[in-house]
Amino acid sequence: DIQMTQSPSSLSASVGDRVTITCQASHDIKDYLNWYQQTPGQAPKLLIFDASNLETGVPSRFSGGASGTDFTFTITGLQPEDFATYFCQQYYDLPYTFGQGTKLDIK
Amino acid sequence: QVLLVQSGAEVKKPGASVKVSCQTSGYTFNDYYVHWVRQAPGQGLEWMGWINPYNGGTNYAQKFHGRVTMTTDTSISTVYMELNSLRSDDTAIFYCARMRIVAASYSFDIWGQGTVVTVSS
């Protein structure tokens, strides 16, 4: 199985900050990576697909990047509604696997 | 509006089975695979498998082989996930999710609201 190592597991930040989350894949997964946001009591929501493509309707302060097996997810100018948990997910090979998540909370 | 609406919470005893439904609407049922993902309390997301509503084909994660069965009822655009021989560590929220496929791009674009399954004696 492809392991997705996500870091940090938690992160404290303030409104207006820029934050970056990373995911490292155990194998080459090309750009077959998605990012999801989950708020408490809700289902995950797709934000970024194919490593760097913004899902329709998602604000442009969210962005994604890739370099080899390393992937980044950045929020530029945190808004109050962005405090949530974020997951990466690879779809290069079955079983699809997720990172362990990054909980972003208010400093 | 595309919706996936799941059945309500369940409490089961160890060794029992649970069957969770996922009723879809707002799109052509046969056109999208439906996947199941579970999330144990305070934990991450774990992929369980998929079903192709067009032909009923399935693919299950090795971890759940022999314990999970995914089926459909095309007359009501509903997908089911049944998990047998429940254990306490099966306690989790179970989500169904639609997979959008565009060229080589695969993503879970629509999710159900989740079904809490509690396994306890």
Side-chain angles (χ1 to χ4, degrees), chain A residues 2 4-5 8 20 22 27 33 35-36 38 50 56-57 61 66 70 72 78 91 98 102-103 106-107:
Chain A
I2 295 175
M4 303 302 299
T5 303
T20 297
T22 64
H27 300 80
L33 182 114
W35 290 95
Y36 300 87
Q38 186 177 33
D50 299 348
T56 301
R61 64 180 179 273
D70 296 327
T72 57
L78 273 171
Y91 62 90
F98 294 83
T102 296
K103 185 176 181 181
I106 300 174
K107 186 184 291 184

Side-chain angles (χ1 to χ4, degrees), chain A residues 34 36 38 43-44 50 55 91, chain B residues 39 95 100 105-106 108 111-112:
Chain A
N34 303 320
Y36 300 87
Q38 186 177 33
D50 299 348
E55 177 69 353
Y91 62 90
Chain B
Q39 186 170 36
Y95 294 100
R100 180 182 69 198
S105 174
Y106 291 43
F108 298 125
W111 294 66

Side-chain angles (χ1 to χ4, degrees), chain B:
Chain B
Q1 181 186 9
V2 176
L3 287 175
L4 276 62
V5 178
Q6 298 183 223
S7 49
E10 302 264 12
V11 179
K12 296 291 182 181
K13 294 192 181 302
S17 299
V18 68
K19 190 171 186 177
V20 180
S21 67
C22 172
Q23 183 165 32
T24 73
S25 61
Y27 70 96
T28 302
F29 182 63
N30 285 352
D31 284 356
Y32 293 83
Y33 285 37
V34 174
H35 296 239
W36 290 88
V37 175
R38 79 173 183 180
Q39 186 170 36
Q43 301 300 308
L45 300 163
E46 182 175 35
W47 179 80
M48 299 180 69
W50 56 250
I51 185 164
N52 177 355
Y54 177 74
N55 59 13
T58 56
N59 191 320
Y60 304 138
Q62 185 65 36
K63 176 176 182 176
F64 299 101
H65 260 284
R67 282 211 303 146
V68 70
T69 304
M70 297 177 190
T71 55
T72 63
D73 184 338
T74 56
S75 69
I76 55 172
S77 302
T78 297
V79 175
Y80 300 92
M81 185 283 299
E82 184 171 24
L83 188 63
N84 302 318
S85 303
L86 289 169
R87 307 184 288 256
S88 58
D89 62 359
D90 288 318
T91 294
I93 302 173
F94 291 78
Y95 294 100
C96 59
R98 187 182 83 162
M99 174 147 277
R100 180 182 69 198
I101 301 175
V102 178
S105 174
Y106 291 43
S107 56
F108 298 125
D109 67 338
I110 306 292
W111 294 66
Q113 83 276 19
T115 296
V116 176
V117 175
T118 303
V119 183
S120 174
S121 54

Side-chain angles (χ1 to χ4, degrees), chain A residues 7 9 15 17 28 33 39 49 52 58-59 61 71 76 99 102 106:
Chain A
S7 61
S9 57
V15 172
D17 283 355
D28 178 17
L33 182 114
T39 53
F49 63 94
S52 60
V58 174
R61 64 180 179 273
F71 299 84
T76 303
T102 296
I106 300 174

